[in-house]
Amino acid sequence: MASETPTDYGLKGNNTTPHNVTESERIAYLAELQAQTTLIMLPTIVLLILFAVVGLFGNTLVLIAYSQKFRKTATRIFVMAIASFDLVTNVLVIPVEVYDMFHIWDFDNAHMCRVRYFVSSVTTVSSATLLLALSIVR
């Protein structure tokens, strides 16, 4: 025999919050969900941090080496531009993404969310476009 689940949830009118749940219970429930989600996402968080650290050093070395050692060519410019966009990703996008993973259930800044997705999209699409241009030039 299947258990019955309530369908009303204590909602009245346009109010979308149940009347039988206090604010402290809601916060405690979201904290519990966040703890479970963080545990599940821990391997991803560690991998992203590893990518950010390695990418920070790697892209910095690429920028230093290509700015001093190689002669000026289109390939050099493309490689330096890709490294620059990847450096922005390592410094800005990945740390904000890790922060978001720690605050999935209580992240409530809509403007920061829009900026985060915009910067992430711009850097990713720019790197991909430059890589395509580099492959055409080569």
Side-chain angles (χ1 to χ4, degrees), residues 62-80:
V62 166
L63 287 173
I64 291 170
Y66 273 80
S67 66
Q68 296 176 355
K69 302 288 182 190
F70 295 97
R71 60 187 174 92
K72 293 182 180 180
T73 62
T75 302
R76 175 183 168 211
I77 294 169
F78 282 130
V79 169
M80 288 181 66

Side-chain angles (χ1 to χ4, degrees), residues 62-121:
V62 166
L63 287 173
I64 291 170
Y66 273 80
S67 66
Q68 296 176 355
K69 302 288 182 190
F70 295 97
R71 60 187 174 92
K72 293 182 180 180
T73 62
T75 302
R76 175 183 168 211
I77 294 169
F78 282 130
V79 169
M80 288 181 66
I82 292 170
S84 299
F85 281 116
D86 286 347
L87 193 60
V88 170
T89 300
N90 293 326
V91 171
L92 292 177
V93 176
I94 292 177
V96 173
E97 186 66 33
V98 169
Y99 175 83
D100 182 47
M101 288 181 178
F102 281 113
H103 297 280
I104 286 177
W105 298 101
D106 61 356
F107 191 83
D108 60 353
N109 190 341
H111 295 297
M112 182 62 83
C113 191
R114 288 185 190 112
V115 168
R116 177 177 70 99
Y117 282 120
F118 175 77
V119 172
S120 176
S121 299

Side-chain angles (χ1 to χ4, degrees), residues 3-33:
S3 64
E4 294 181 17
T5 56
T7 56
D8 185 19
Y9 297 104
L11 302 177
K12 294 181 181 177
N14 291 333
N15 190 359
T16 58
T17 55
H19 294 288
N20 59 351
V21 176
T22 66
E23 185 68 18
S24 62
E25 289 174 335
R26 184 184 72 81
I27 291 171
Y29 178 68
L30 290 177
E32 181 183 334
L33 282 176

Side-chain angles (χ1 to χ4, degrees), residues 40-71:
I40 292 170
M41 291 190 171
L42 199 56
T44 305
I45 292 169
V46 169
L47 191 63
L48 280 174
I49 291 171
L50 181 68
F51 285 161
V53 170
V54 170
L56 177 68
F57 290 118
N59 287 313
T60 303
L61 287 175
V62 166
L63 287 173
I64 291 170
Y66 273 80
S67 66
Q68 296 176 355
K69 302 288 182 190
F70 295 97
R71 60 187 174 92

